[in-house]
Amino acid sequence: MIYKEAFDDKSKAALNAVSAKLTTEDLLEMMKKLVNDKEDADTVAKDWLTQAGLVN
């Protein structure tokens, strides 16, 4: 869900970049880290974004 008025071209590009790289296997691995390993959600997400080359 998004707030339509705040969804600009920059937001759309960011969402499309994530969608293009995110796989089911990635999601399963992140869920394992969150549930089994009790890792912090922000850290797991940032690690994935870094590995995917979407952030430095």
Side-chain angles (χ1 to χ4, degrees):
M1 299 177 77
I2 58 170
Y3 179 62
K4 215 175 196 181
E5 286 76 23
F7 194 67
D8 57 12
D9 288 339
K10 185 176 178 181
S11 300
K12 188 176 185 179
L15 184 58
N16 286 335
V18 169
S19 293
K21 295 192 179 223
L22 186 61
T23 66
T24 301
E25 291 79 19
D26 293 333
L27 286 171
L28 291 171
E29 183 62 30
M30 286 188 276
M31 287 302 300
K32 188 165 56 170
K33 289 179 180 182
L34 295 171
V35 175
N36 295 344
D37 302 337
K38 307 292 188 221
E39 292 187 30
D40 177 66
D42 289 342
T43 301
V44 171
K46 186 173 182 182
D47 288 349
W48 181 85
L49 289 167
T50 301
Q51 290 174 344
L54 298 172
V55 298
N56 295 326

